[in-house]
Amino acid sequence: MEEEQKIPLLLQLYFGESAEKAQRGASERLVKWCQAFEGWLWELKRQYTSHMDDVAVQAWKRLARTCARLPWELETADIEQHAAWLHAEGYSPSMICKSLSMQARFYRWCDERRIDAETPAGFNPAAGVRRPKVERYAGATMLSRGEVERLLGALRADKSPLGLRERAFILARLRTGVPLIRLQQLRWGQIEVDKAGAWVRWQTGGERRSLPGEVWQAMRDYLEASGRLGQMREEIFIFAPL
């Protein structure tokens, strides 16, 4: 029995239940774009540990369902209209930006490999679409000063190595205001201590910044309780998982 031919994902996104029929009548050009879409998704899976390919599929699914034009037929005005539809449907600015980014990335990937000789070089109708402004921490619920103090009070009550680690980490986050990733990647060699107190260089070769005394003491308490203080070397992460 002849093996059933797999229906390309791009055809499924565009034609839904009619994808099998569309596959039988697909032009050579459409086949190339379908193969390119599969190749692009495979690279996303290989390059990223997160579900980047799922985000890409959903972005193109929404576009295919709202713009009844094939990828090489789309114009910037079509993508702009699609972005307006996303906004009207209540999608967040960050999600709209992700969708537009995924659409532009696929076009760029195809252009770099010239998968369609009939499109002009640099063809990317999603590249020039204006993206909504994304406000940092939009929608986030901020803790009051009282809530922060109660949180720190609860952390002070836990004298275990893990409790001291959590207190030092959260205290550093609150008192320094640096991005989360900076604290997660903080190494012992970035800390400098002199008569004026403790200092930290958040980036290699960067300007050293004052490290609040209570934060430095909390770090030392955690490292001592976990038995790591005497073993610390420049390249060791301070907040390594216990």
Side-chain angles (χ1 to χ4, degrees):
M1 181 180 294
E2 185 178 350
E3 184 179 352
E4 185 177 354
Q5 189 175 5
K6 180 183 176 182
I7 301 175
L9 182 55
L10 192 63
L11 283 183
Q12 297 178 44
L13 300 183
Y14 269 92
F15 298 98
E17 295 181 356
S18 303
E20 186 176 355
K21 181 179 179 181
Q23 183 180 22
R24 291 196 295 269
S27 65
E28 183 179 347
R29 190 178 194 184
L30 180 53
V31 170
K32 287 182 179 179
W33 279 88
C34 289
Q35 292 172 342
F37 193 72
E38 302 286 347
W40 177 58
L41 290 177
W42 181 84
E43 282 202 8
L44 287 179
K45 287 182 181 180
R46 183 171 59 88
Q47 294 175 357
Y48 298 94
T49 55
S50 61
H51 300 290
M52 188 75 76
D53 56 312
D54 292 335
V55 176
V57 169
Q58 291 304 315
W60 272 91
K61 181 179 181 179
R62 289 189 290 265
L63 179 61
R65 297 299 168 86
T66 58
C67 297
R69 306 181 72 181
L70 293 171
W72 65 85
E73 299 174 332
L74 289 170
E75 300 176 355
T76 299
D78 296 313
I79 309 294
E80 289 175 341
Q81 185 176 4
H82 173 66
W85 176 85
L86 291 173
H87 176 73
E89 288 294 309
Y91 286 92
S92 67
S94 62
M95 179 57 70
I96 295 174
C97 286
K98 285 181 181 179
S99 292
L100 295 176
S101 175
M102 283 302 171
Q103 291 150 16
R105 287 177 69 162
F106 177 51
Y107 277 115
R108 186 164 57 250
W109 189 92
C110 292
D111 181 59
E112 290 171 351
R113 290 155 182 79
R114 298 302 299 149
I115 64 105
D116 188 348
E118 296 183 52
T119 57
F123 176 69
N124 192 337
V129 177
R130 186 174 181 179
R131 303 180 186 184
K133 184 178 180 181
V134 178
E135 299 287 346
R136 294 188 66 188
Y137 310 118
T141 301
M142 306 300 289
L143 296 178
S144 67
R145 287 184 178 274
E147 289 171 327
V148 170
E149 291 306 319
R150 287 195 292 275
L151 171 62
L152 293 176
L155 291 171
R156 279 193 292 270
D158 187 350
K159 301 300 183 181
S160 68
L162 181 58
L164 292 172
R165 177 187 184 278
E166 295 304 298
R167 178 175 181 272
F169 189 89
I170 293 175
L171 193 61
R173 186 85 166 96
L174 291 171
R175 298 293 189 250
T176 65
V178 298
L180 185 65
I181 191 67
R182 293 279 176 84
L183 282 177
Q184 292 172 330
Q185 296 179 350
L186 181 62
R187 298 174 188 267
W188 184 251
Q190 293 175 244
I191 307 292
E192 301 175 11
V193 181
D194 58 25
K195 294 180 179 180
W199 308 81
V200 58
R201 297 185 190 272
W202 295 111
Q203 293 178 305
T204 303
E207 180 182 356
R208 73 174 192 169
R209 306 273 183 181
S210 175
L211 188 63
E214 60 178 335
V215 174
W216 175 231
Q217 186 59 53
M219 287 181 179
R220 289 180 57 85
D221 291 343
Y222 143 60
L223 292 172
E224 185 173 7
S226 62
R228 299 179 60 216
L229 185 60
Q231 305 170 8
M232 296 301 288
R233 298 187 302 276
E234 287 192 359
E235 70 278 8
I236 295 180
F237 290 108
I238 290 179
F239 293 107
L242 294 178

